[in-house]
Amino acid sequence: WERLLKSELPATAYVTWALIEAGFEDTPEVQRGLTYIREHLDLQSDPYLLALIANALAAGDPKGAATGQVLAALDGRKTIEGDRIYWQSDISSFMGGKGKAASIETTALVAYAMLKAEAYPDTVNGAMNYLVAQKDSFGTWQTTQATILSLKAMLLSAMQGSKGGQEATVRV
């Protein structure tokens, strides 16, 4: 992870994704960020880093070749336990999540990217099952960041599901 912290790739992916989600996808800076990500793509990276990259690419170019490569790499690294699918991360997240919290964050990030790219629906379904099962007795997912990312993935899933005329209810 120290090697990655010295790299600009994790921060570039995170900031590029944030800028696209904020509506700045057509700016030269975002396009440079996407180019940088594509040029420095390492499919052997930890699933957490790949999930950050996947979100930047899925937001900026959901049907692009690099997006497909990253999502395929992530799909190939999933852990399946019954009807639950998740990704383990061996590194700390940007917000300091480790162990199970990092796996929850990573799983939520992967699910969100796959939803944005409209790819791997069975994998997304398994990831949603995992996320639902990880909610603790306080109604959260261990850490603030894991909670935010889990809710973000669940809300996108519900919104996409409602496009087919289905209703979804979110209770906070």
Side-chain angles (χ1 to χ4, degrees):
W1 181 238
E2 286 184 28
R3 176 182 58 85
L4 291 176
L5 287 177
K6 293 177 183 172
S7 160
E8 294 176 352
L9 186 57
T12 300
Y14 196 74
V15 170
T16 300
W17 176 38
L19 289 171
I20 293 169
E21 294 255 321
F24 295 97
E25 63 274 354
D26 294 329
T27 64
E29 294 80 10
V30 166
Q31 295 309 309
R32 280 196 307 271
L34 289 169
T35 298
Y36 181 88
I37 293 165
R38 288 183 196 103
E39 289 174 354
H40 294 86
L41 186 57
D42 177 4
L43 296 176
Q44 301 307 311
S45 295
D46 183 86
Y48 176 76
L49 176 57
L50 283 178
L52 291 175
I53 291 167
N55 275 286
L57 293 172
D61 188 12
K63 300 300 180 194
T67 307
Q69 288 177 321
V70 174
L71 293 177
L74 283 164
D75 191 61
R77 294 169 78 177
K78 64 189 174 193
T79 299
I80 303 171
E81 290 181 358
D83 68 344
R84 299 175 187 166
I85 295 174
Y86 63 95
W87 289 261
Q88 290 183 304
S89 178
D90 295 326
I91 60 176
S92 297
S93 70
F94 273 135
M95 300 301 153
K98 296 177 183 175
K100 188 173 182 181
S103 293
I104 294 169
E105 285 185 42
T106 302
T107 300
L109 284 166
V110 173
Y112 192 84
M114 287 180 172
L115 284 162
K116 278 292 202 178
E118 298 180 349
Y120 302 97
D122 292 336
T123 297
V124 170
N125 189 49
M128 291 296 131
N129 290 338
Y130 173 80
L131 293 173
V132 168
Q134 301 312 306
K135 188 173 70 149
D136 62 26
S137 62
F138 299 106
T140 64
W141 285 262
Q142 293 198 2
T143 66
T144 302
Q145 189 68 4
T147 299
I148 290 167
L149 293 173
S150 294
L151 290 172
K152 189 174 179 80
M154 289 179 183
L155 287 170
L156 181 58
S157 178
M159 290 184 338
Q160 286 185 348
S162 68
K163 289 179 186 173
Q166 299 173 355
E167 288 188 29
T169 301
V170 177
R171 185 171 20 150
V172 180

